């Protein structure tokens, strides 16, 4: 993500706002795709948090491992969201933007595809054993109510809806305001192509223009 090719293009800084309207339309569609995929990933993290909250663990180490995996997954989604927005808004041509969007789309689903591949090789059981006795109808209904309450609680709404959405909108607005890619801003600060330095070979007369002798 921090490769120089993701920050520079033909001696100029890559900017999220292109001078070509069609490229900006492609970028807008790419940003929408990234936002939709990030929402899907956040929902999978939310389902994992609900499963950990109502599950019954047979050892003391499993809850710690489960919540560590939840935290790692949550942070990974936020990091991918930050870098993906920079990657899809940087290209200066429509075709390059589409290729970047496709690569980001594949990388976002890489963990899910790997899990499906492991599922083919091994017989995995994804059932969650509830903390209450599932054979008791009253306790089972209470567990189901607890699951629904956790899924619609204010804390879950803040962490899985409000916070990711606010970070995504804030990053997008800051990128458009400074006309600088998020990764470029993180590494170099605000940059601009205005009054960019020029090499001697780009001058109208070349490096050594002819001089008139008097």
């Amino acid at each position: 993500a921090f490769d120089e090719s993701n920050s520079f293009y033909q001696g100029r800084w890559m900017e999220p706002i292109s001078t070509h309207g069609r490229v900006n339309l492609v970028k807008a569609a790419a940003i929408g795709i990234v936002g939709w995929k990030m929402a899907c990933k956040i929902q999978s993290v939310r389902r994992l948090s609900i499963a950990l909250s109502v599950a019954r663990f047979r050892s003391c180490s499993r809850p710690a491992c489960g919540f560590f995996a939840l935290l790692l997954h949550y942070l990974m989604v936020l990091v991918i969201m930050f870098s993906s927005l920079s990657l899809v808004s940087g290209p200066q041509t429509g075709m390059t933007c589409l290729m970047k969007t496709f690569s980001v789309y594949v990388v976002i689903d890489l963990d899910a595809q790997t899990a499906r591949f492991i599922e083919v090789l091994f017989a995995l059981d994804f059932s969650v054993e509830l903390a209450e006795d599932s054979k008791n109808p009253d306790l089972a209904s209470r567990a189901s109510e607890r699951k629904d309450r956790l899924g619609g609680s204010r804390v879950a709404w803040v962490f899985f809806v409000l916070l990711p959405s606010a970070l995504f909108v804030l990053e997008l607005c800051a990128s458009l305001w400074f006309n600088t890619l998020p990764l470029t801003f993180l590494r170099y600060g605000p940059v601009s192509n205005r009054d960019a330095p020029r090499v001697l070979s780009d001058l109208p007369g070349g490096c050594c223009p002819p001089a008139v002798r008097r």
Side-chain angles (χ1 to χ4, degrees):
F2 285 99
D3 188 74
E4 298 296 337
S5 61
N6 295 322
S7 299
F8 296 98
Y9 179 74
Q10 294 182 353
R12 296 172 60 87
W13 293 103
M14 287 186 175
E15 297 175 339
I17 302 178
S18 175
T19 56
H20 303 283
R22 294 181 179 179
V23 177
N24 289 328
L25 291 178
V26 176
K27 289 185 178 183
I31 292 172
I33 293 174
V34 170
W36 170 67
K37 290 299 295 181
M38 288 297 101
C40 295
K41 297 298 291 184
I42 285 292
Q43 290 304 311
S44 67
V45 180
R46 177 171 172 266
R47 288 193 294 268
L48 177 60
S49 68
I50 294 175
L52 292 174
S53 300
V54 300
R56 179 171 62 182
F57 299 97
R58 298 182 180 179
S59 63
C60 298
S61 61
R62 290 188 176 183
C65 294
F67 282 102
F68 177 75
L70 173 65
L71 178 62
L72 189 64
H73 197 180
Y74 185 79
L75 294 177
M76 183 197 69
V77 170
L78 295 182
V79 171
I80 292 178
M81 180 182 67
F82 182 85
S83 58
S84 298
L85 185 59
S86 182
L87 292 176
V88 300
S89 60
Q92 302 301 300
T93 62
M95 182 57 65
T96 307
C97 185
L98 291 176
M99 296 301 296
K100 290 284 186 179
T101 305
F102 177 76
S103 62
V104 168
Y105 188 92
V106 172
V107 170
I108 290 175
D109 277 341
L110 186 61
D111 57 340
Q113 299 300 329
T114 304
R116 291 190 180 95
F117 177 74
I118 296 176
E119 186 181 3
V120 173
L121 300 179
F122 304 96
L124 302 178
D125 185 13
F126 292 99
S127 60
V128 177
E129 189 175 359
L130 298 179
E132 288 82 359
D133 187 3
S134 60
K135 296 181 180 180
N136 190 326
D138 296 333
L139 294 179
S141 62
R142 260 185 279 168
S144 179
E145 292 175 0
R146 183 185 176 193
K147 177 180 73 67
D148 296 336
R149 186 170 61 254
L150 288 170
S153 65
R154 183 176 299 178
V155 176
W157 182 80
V158 169
F159 279 97
F160 300 114
V161 178
L162 180 61
L163 183 60
S165 301
L167 290 177
F168 186 83
V169 173
L170 180 62
E171 180 188 1
L172 179 60
C173 292
S175 177
L176 295 177
W177 177 265
F178 292 103
N179 201 20
T180 305
L181 299 180
L183 291 177
T184 304
F185 189 91
L186 183 64
R187 188 174 183 182
Y188 302 103
V191 296
S192 175
N193 288 318
R194 182 179 300 177
D195 299 328
R198 302 173 61 184
V199 296
L200 293 178
S201 59
D202 291 338
L203 295 177
C207 63
C208 303
V212 178
R213 294 183 179 180
R214 295 182 179 179

